[in-house]
Amino acid sequence: MMNQHKPRLLTGDTPTGRLHLGHWVGSLENRVHMQNDYDCYFIIANVHAFTTRVEKPAEIHQSTMDIAIDYLAAGIDPNRSAIFLQSEIGAIAEMTFFFSMLIPFPRLMRNPTIKDEIRDKGLGDNYSMGFLLYPIGQVADILVFRPDIVPVGEDQVPHIEMTREVARRFNQVYCQVDPHTEDADYIAKGGVFPIVHTKLGRSKRLVGLGGPDASGNLLKMSKSLNNAIFLSDDADTIKKKVMSMYTDPKRLKPTDKGTIENNPLWIFHDTFNPDKAWVKEAKERYRNGTIGDVECKKSLIDALVAFIDPIRRRRLELEKDLHYVQTVLREGTARANEVANTTLLLAKEAMRQRYF
Ligand code: ATP
Ligand code: MG
C-alpha cells in the first residue's frame, strides 16, 4: 500500500463535469501508466469548482463523484494511488494564504491561462476574488505534496511555472537558499519545496468538436465549453457527436479537395485510431476528394467506441456501488492528509510560525 520509496506524483481535476478525451490524452493516460513507478496522489479540486459554479453546489457534488468514478473506470488503482478531496485537506487552504503573499498581483494577472479562461468562459469583468485566487490555490494543491512530477495538459503550464516561482521564493525567503541555486538543488540546500517538473501528455491540447472562435483558433476540448466526448458517452451519443462535429467548412461534397491541417476530424483520427495505415491512406483520399466525410466519420466512431466502451461499462458497475467509491475517497484523503500535514509543519517551522 505505501509507496514511500518511490518518487511522488501529484495531479488532478476540477469537478466541473465528467472526464473527456482531452483529459485522457492530456494527463489521465500518463497517470494510469505511471502508477507503478510513482507514489501517486490525485486531487479532485472541488473547492476550485466553486470559482465558476458558486450557486451550483449539488452539481459540484455530483461531478466530484463522477470524476472519482471516471478515475477508477479509466484504470486508477486505489490500492496504489490516493484519490482525495481538496476540501478535506486543511493544509492546502492554510498554505494558499501564505503563498498568496509571495506572488505580486500584477504577476498573477499576466498568467495567460487566467486570461484565456476569463475569455472562453465568458466571465467578463465579473469574476470573483476567489477566481483570481485559484492559481495560487493550485500552487498549494501541488506544493503541500512536495511532488517530483506533475503530469498536466498544456493549459496548466503557466500555473506550474507560478508554482516553481513560489517554491523558489519560499525557499529563498524562509529557508535561506541562495537565489543562484540550480532548481534541482533546492531541497539539498535546505529548501522545503521542490521546484517541480511537468510531464505533458501525448496530446498537449486536444481540440473540441466545435469550430474555431472569432479569431480562428480551435478551442480546446473542455468540460465547460460543451464540445467534448466523455469517457462515459455511449455509442449513440458518440455517433451523434462525431456526425455533427466541425471538419473542413470549405468541403461541401465528397469530391471537393479537403484540408487535413487544423481539421478536428483528422486530429481525432491521429490521436485515437489505432489503424495508422488506414488513417494515412484516408487522409490522402480526403486531400484528393475521393472519400466522403461519412466514411471517415464512421471509422472514427468505431475507433472511439472501441476505446470508450470498456471504460463506460466499468463506470456503470461503479455507479451501482457508491459506498465503495466513498471508501476509496475516505482512505485516499486520509493518506493525502498525512503527507500534507507533514509539509505544513515543515513550512510553518521554516516561517518561524510553529509556537507549540
Ligand atoms: P474546465 O472547463 O472546468 O476548466 P477542463 O475540461 O479544462 O475543465 P480541467 O479540470 O481544467 O478540465 O483540467 C484537468 C486536466 O486535464 C489538466 O491537466 C488539463 O491540462 C487537462 N486537460 C483538460 N482539457 C484538455 C485538453 N483538451 N487537452 C489536453 N489536456 C487537457
Ligand atoms: Mg480547465
Side-chain angles (χ1 to χ4, degrees):
M1 195 75 178
M2 289 288 128
N3 295 313
Q4 274 149 0
H5 54 288
K6 292 180 178 172
R8 200 177 288 149
L9 179 154
L10 179 285
T11 187
D13 298 275
T14 318
T16 47
R18 287 162 296 151
L19 295 185
H20 53 63
L21 291 175
H23 296 118
W24 175 258
V25 287
S27 173
L28 193 53
E29 181 181 42
N30 269 335
R31 302 180 202 176
V32 170
H33 295 142
M34 291 169 89
Q35 289 180 101
N36 272 333
D37 303 322
Y38 289 83
D39 184 20
C40 293
Y41 292 83
F42 300 120
I43 182 169
I44 304 183
N46 58 332
V47 179
H48 289 177
F50 280 85
T51 56
T52 54
R53 282 170 175 70
V54 79
E55 284 160 7
K56 295 178 178 159
E59 209 177 286
I60 295 173
H61 185 104
Q62 180 62 47
S63 296
T64 298
M65 296 307 285
D66 273 334
I67 291 204
I69 292 172
D70 279 329
Y71 283 173
L72 296 167
I76 302 291
D77 172 5
N79 292 317
R80 285 180 287 170
S81 304
I83 302 174
F84 67 96
L85 300 169
Q86 183 185 38
S87 59
E88 296 298 315
I89 311 293
I92 291 177
E94 289 192 49
M95 287 313 298
T96 299
F97 214 119
F98 287 125
F99 287 150
S100 72
M101 258 97 47
L102 295 176
I103 278 278
F105 185 69
R107 164 70 184 87
L108 178 71
M109 292 309 283
R110 283 198 305 272
N111 179 322
T113 297
I114 287 294
K115 290 190 197 159
D116 287 354
E117 282 192 80
I118 291 172
R119 186 196 60 216
D120 295 347
K121 296 178 182 173
L123 302 179
D125 51 13
N126 252 335
Y127 45 83
S128 63
M129 172 68 213
F131 175 77
L132 293 182
L133 196 62
Y134 107 76
I136 298 167
Q138 198 171 318
V139 168
D141 296 339
I142 296 171
L143 289 183
V144 299
F145 290 90
R146 290 172 290 137
D148 298 284
I149 196 157
V150 186
V152 288
E154 192 173 45
D155 60 320
Q156 297 301 305
V157 169
H159 295 343
I160 305 293
E161 195 42 54
M162 258 179 53
T163 306
R164 292 155 62 84
E165 285 174 33
V166 170
R168 286 190 200 103
R169 183 100 200 280
F170 185 102
N171 292 330
Q172 289 163 14
V173 173
Y174 301 120
C175 313
Q176 289 72 49
V177 178
D178 186 312
H180 300 100
T181 302
E182 296 287 329
D183 284 347
D185 296 338
Y186 265 82
I187 297 292
K189 299 282 182 195
V192 169
F193 295 107
I195 316 304
V196 298
H197 303 284
T198 46
K199 181 175 170 66
L200 291 173
R202 115 181 112 94
S203 169
K204 295 173 186 63
R205 184 184 173 283
L206 186 71
V207 299
L209 298 168
D213 63 8
S215 44
N217 299 316
L218 290 171
L219 293 172
K220 76 159 197 151
M221 184 176 283
S222 161
K223 327 185 198 83
S224 316
L225 299 179
N226 198 18
N227 65 358
I229 294 181
F230 295 97
L231 299 180
S232 44
D233 280 346
D234 62 20
D236 268 358
T237 309
I238 294 172
K239 188 172 168 194
K240 281 201 194 92
K241 286 182 176 175
V242 171
M243 290 317 281
S244 60
M245 76 186 281
Y246 176 85
T247 57
D248 175 354
K250 295 203 194 79
R251 192 171 191 254
L252 302 176
K253 51 186 190 304
T255 49
D256 289 344
K257 290 189 189 317
T259 305
I260 304 289
E261 290 68 35
N262 276 326
N263 182 338
L265 176 67
W266 296 106
I267 295 173
F268 279 80
H269 266 298
D270 281 335
T271 316
F272 297 104
N273 192 338
D275 189 349
K276 301 288 171 223
W278 183 90
V279 174
K280 190 162 178 249
E281 192 206 315
K283 273 184 185 169
E284 232 8 77
R285 291 174 58 201
Y286 192 85
R287 263 197 203 99
N288 300 330
T290 58
I291 190 170
D293 264 45
V294 173
E295 188 181 338
C296 301
K297 285 182 168 177
K298 283 211 166 117
S299 147
L300 179 61
I301 291 164
D302 289 346
L304 292 178
V305 171
F307 168 62
I308 290 177
D309 223 47
I311 299 178
R312 187 183 66 86
R313 283 172 200 280
R314 284 195 292 274
R315 273 193 118 266
L316 288 178
E317 288 308 307
L318 288 158
E319 274 170 3
K320 288 186 211 142
D321 194 358
L322 290 182
H323 180 72
Y324 167 73
V325 179
Q326 208 178 16
T327 305
V328 165
L329 290 174
R330 188 184 297 115
E331 288 175 0
T333 300
R335 272 178 64 192
N337 258 324
E338 278 176 32
V339 178
N341 287 333
T342 304
T343 306
L344 184 64
L345 285 183
L346 292 173
K348 283 185 170 168
E349 213 154 64
M351 298 174 81
R352 311 294 183 275
Q353 302 306 311
R354 196 169 165 191
Y355 297 99
F356 313 111

